[in-house]
Amino acid sequence: MASIFTKIIKGEIPSYKIAEDDKHYAFLDINPLQPGHTLVVPKRELNYIFDLGDEELADLTVFAKKIALAMKKVLPCKRIGMSVVGLEVPHVHIHLIPIHQVSDMNFGSGTAQVSKDEMKEIADQIKGAL
Ligand code: AMP
């Protein structure tokens, strides 16, 4: 069965899309740790990031870098943190999170309240900075 991220990539499930190319897709995390929390995924469905080939992993990271640089331009933060967990969704993804302090990346500390309108506005801002 297709992963939830494959369904998002195919447009079968809505997402706050930020960017895509032939191999990758970026969109806002629906339960953001911080406003602007973004997920970057390869279109090829694979569970575990370290099962990617070297070139695929490098390409994914370079794609994530472009998104992170755009995020840093428009989101109030010290930097963009990058993390990989993958315990919930078995489709490789990188979390990009705008942070001021290390605790902003604590996955156990609850999520930020961001309205649908704000999510759309944030996605548009990041897109505009690409
Ligand atoms: P993990 O697999 O532990 O790295 O976490 C999966 C992440 O995917 C979580 O941060 C979820 O909030 C996020 N997520 C799950 N479903 C969706 C969705 N439909 N749209 C956006 N983000 C999602």
Side-chain angles (χ1 to χ4, degrees):
M1 201 178 82
S3 78
I4 190 161
F5 291 168
T6 293
K7 290 179 181 167
I8 284 174
I9 291 161
K10 288 182 172 171
E12 295 168 8
I13 291 178
S15 70
Y16 296 97
K17 179 179 166 180
I18 290 170
E20 73 177 314
D21 67 11
D22 56 332
K23 292 188 189 132
H24 313 98
Y25 193 95
F27 57 108
L28 292 184
D29 193 305
I30 203 76
N31 298 305
L33 292 192
Q34 308 299 328
H37 179 167
T38 295
L39 301 176
V40 175
V41 308
K43 289 185 174 176
R44 182 163 93 90
E45 190 177 319
L46 195 74
N47 183 346
Y48 185 46
I49 192 164
F50 297 121
D51 285 334
L52 288 172
D54 291 353
E55 203 171 315
E56 270 182 302
L57 179 59
D59 285 351
L60 177 67
T61 309
V62 170
F63 185 78
K65 175 182 171 182
K66 285 182 200 153
I67 306 297
L69 291 175
M71 290 170 65
K72 179 71 177 62
K73 281 186 199 161
V74 294
L75 299 170
C77 61
K78 255 192 193 160
R79 60 175 55 205
I80 305 299
M82 179 167 126
S83 177
V84 175
V85 184
L87 289 172
E88 184 189 322
V89 177
H91 184 146
V92 171
H93 52 283
I94 291 175
H95 294 261
L96 297 175
I97 304 169
I99 55 171
H100 292 280
Q101 56 219 354
V102 67
S103 58
D104 291 341
M105 291 198 64
N106 184 351
F107 283 82
S109 72
T111 54
Q113 295 305 311
V114 185
S115 71
K116 288 180 178 178
D117 284 349
E118 287 170 318
M119 292 283 277
K120 189 178 174 327
E121 194 181 320
I122 290 168
D124 286 345
Q125 282 176 345
I126 300 170
K127 271 190 270 187
L130 278 166

